[in-house]
Amino acid sequence: MSHASTPRPVVALVDAYSTASHLAPLFHARGYDCLHVQSMTSPPAAFTASFRPEDFIGTVLHEGDVDATLHAIRAYAPTALLAGAEIGVELADVLSEALGLRTNGTRLSSARRDKFRMQETVRAASLPVADQILATDLDALLDWYGPAPRRVVLKPVRSALNDGVTFCDDADEVRAAYHRLMGMQSAVGQRNDAVLAQEYLVGAEYYVNTVSLDGKHYVCDLWKTQHLGINGVRDLLGGSQLMLRDGPEQEQLVAYAGAVLDALGVRNGPAHTELKLTPQGPRLIETGARVCGAMLPLLTRAALDESQLEWTVAAYADPADFLARWETGYEVKRHAVCVNMIAPSGGKLAGYPRLAELQALESYHDVLLKVAPGEEISRTVNDMTYPMLVHLVHEVEGTVTHDYMTARYLDGEGFYDVV
């Protein structure tokens, strides 16, 4: 006599793209099946390249009708529903709330996506933030900018991947950036009907990656980034370095980031918060209520043995385990750096003649190739145009720093064979 096997519980992932493509296998390992929810009919190609349909028992396509989507999802009776990529954050809030599952809710949902509203919501919680204006006409923007030249940042209100971010040093540059951004299609396929302008924050930039469970925030990893003025871009990300958990900078960053998450209503799931540490203290750049992008958690895992991905799965699959450990700090077992290689020009890529030198470095761990030989390479100007990311990992911090500097030296004209 045969017994039907007990069905496995189901977790629904909204837009499991980019780094979130690594969540489903971790849920499988804990005994869960995964359902994919696609938030738009044709998501941007920058997101979908990493999607793995074989990891899912099915896909529910959201075509704008929330009730129809909920009806389709209920057939799978999920025990949890969470966002994968940035484009799925708002739909995940709507669906998880309607299904009565752990959720960040819809009340502050738009403040977690709209970059202007995000800063104003954090300001309303009595936290210091950047001076800003949401401009729908040029006169108001120039009035805010004022008569004296100063550095400001203009960006789309809703986007991703550093798309459209422009640094301006005088009124003419502000005027030109405004005209270019207004009406432009953003990286997430939305038309810009307003432009966000903010004061330029002086200081190094940091990442605070967290996972929350019912308002308790675990700090998975902290990163200090390095930027370059290159290819006509004022602050292009050149790399990021994993920080120790404890120290005076870390305490300021963690306290501020936790208060930001509280202000934005991030009570459950992963979040990636970008901050600047100015002479006046930490200031928010932005928070995304999803796992950190660019596959950075894979590097975290190599250094710490676990990452934001494992902690996200623990929060939903084993809350007791999460609650038993959330107040402990992480321990750096190996030091890590992610090097963003920067292509100086575009064209047809014939090859990387010096890649072997890079791979021979003592701390070399892995390379995430974004442009393969034979493909078109673009001059690097934003997060979408890095030709490769190089992961360095080693027990000795000095070895990683040595190899980071060497990689920066190797990068440039001679590193790329462009036809």
Side-chain angles (χ1 to χ4, degrees):
M1 173 175 154
S2 68
H3 293 280
S5 63
T6 311
R8 285 155 61 102
V10 172
V11 170
L13 299 171
V14 183
D15 295 331
Y17 308 134
S18 182
T19 311
S21 64
H22 292 273
L23 285 170
L26 294 173
F27 276 114
H28 295 162
R30 288 199 181 236
Y32 286 76
D33 282 334
C34 292
L35 171 70
H36 192 241
V37 181
Q38 190 176 312
S39 72
M40 52 176 78
T41 314
S42 33
F47 288 94
T48 56
S50 50
F51 182 58
R52 294 156 40 141
E54 66 275 14
D55 287 343
F56 297 90
I57 53 172
T59 290
V60 170
L61 174 61
H62 175 64
E63 297 182 274
D65 182 339
V66 171
D67 289 335
T69 302
L70 283 167
H71 180 74
I73 293 171
R74 282 195 178 102
Y76 295 88
T79 58
L81 182 147
L82 61 149
E86 186 69 33
I87 52 175
V89 167
E90 285 170 299
L91 181 63
D93 291 338
V94 170
L95 298 175
S96 55
E97 185 175 77
L99 291 165
L101 300 171
R102 273 204 170 85
T103 184
N104 290 325
T106 53
R107 190 176 68 84
L108 290 169
S109 195
S110 67
R112 294 189 285 270
R113 274 295 286 130
D114 179 311
K115 293 181 167 82
F116 175 77
R117 198 170 291 178
M118 180 182 291
Q119 298 277 351
E120 292 308 310
T121 303
V122 172
R123 191 194 313 278
S126 302
L127 290 167
V129 294
D131 178 36
Q132 63 172 8
I133 184 175
L134 184 64
T136 51
D137 75 272
L138 184 58
D139 290 342
L141 174 60
L142 291 172
D143 192 45
W144 170 84
Y145 183 76
R150 62 184 177 120
R151 179 166 297 144
V152 297
V153 186
L154 269 62
K155 57 175 100 165
V157 186
R158 287 165 173 259
S159 192
L161 306 167
N162 247 359
D163 170 48
V165 174
T166 310
F167 300 92
C168 304
D169 286 318
D170 60 41
D172 287 342
E173 290 181 359
V174 169
R175 195 177 281 112
Y178 175 83
H179 287 309
R180 192 174 67 256
L181 288 170
M182 273 303 261
M184 181 183 98
Q185 284 280 112
S186 77
V188 296
Q190 292 172 318
R191 189 176 174 278
N192 297 329
D193 49 15
V195 173
L196 175 57
Q198 294 174 333
E199 67 170 308
Y200 176 78
L201 296 168
V202 175
E205 188 176 315
Y206 298 81
Y207 302 152
V208 182
N209 290 320
T210 53
V211 176
S212 305
L213 178 65
D214 298 336
K216 295 179 169 70
H217 312 303
Y218 174 75
V219 178
C220 307
D221 47 308
L222 295 157
W223 296 81
K224 184 174 187 174
T225 70
Q226 291 81 33
H227 289 71
L228 295 88
I230 195 167
N231 287 355
V233 180
R234 158 83 205 168
D235 277 343
L236 190 65
L237 179 64
S240 31
Q241 188 159 15
L242 181 66
M243 300 175 75
L244 299 175
R245 173 61 183 83
D246 298 314
E249 284 184 350
Q250 292 90 320
E251 291 320 304
Q252 283 191 72
L253 295 164
V254 167
Y256 181 89
V260 165
L261 296 177
D262 291 340
L264 294 173
V266 178
R267 293 183 49 76
N268 288 292
H272 168 69
T273 302
E274 300 178 0
L275 306 170
K276 277 216 175 167
L277 195 48
T278 73
Q280 292 76 39
R283 296 290 184 272
L284 177 66
I285 299 172
E286 60 187 65
T287 288
R290 37 78 186 170
V291 289
C292 175
M295 304 295 177
L296 200 60
L298 303 185
L299 180 54
T300 307
R301 180 194 290 166
L304 309 180
D305 295 336
E306 62 180 353
S307 73
Q308 192 180 32
L309 293 164
E310 284 78 13
W311 276 92
T312 297
V313 172
Y316 289 94
D318 193 349
D321 173 48
F322 181 100
L323 292 172
R325 299 194 299 140
W326 77 277
E327 288 179 289
T328 62
Y330 65 81
E331 189 185 331
V332 174
K333 298 179 176 169
R334 290 164 287 279
H335 297 273
V337 164
C338 176
V339 189
N340 296 36
M341 302 298 273
I342 297 166
S345 58
K348 183 77 163 260
L349 179 70
Y352 295 108
R354 304 189 75 175
L355 182 58
E357 288 177 69
L358 199 62
Q359 292 172 320
L361 294 172
E362 199 177 336
S363 65
Y364 174 83
H365 175 71
D366 198 9
V367 63
L368 298 179
L369 209 57
K370 308 252 185 171
V371 183
E375 295 177 346
E376 285 291 318
I377 192 169
S378 301
R379 184 173 190 234
T380 304
V381 293
N382 59 22
D383 290 0
M384 292 175 280
T385 46
Y386 292 110
M388 69 171 74
L389 305 178
V390 181
H391 287 176
L392 306 175
V393 182
H394 200 274
E395 288 78 9
V396 179
E397 185 180 14
T399 302
V400 174
T401 305
H402 170 279
D403 292 352
Y404 184 17
M405 296 298 106
T406 306
R408 266 282 69 88
Y409 172 76
L410 289 171
D411 198 14
E413 295 292 344
F415 192 77
Y416 307 90
D417 183 4
V418 178
V419 182

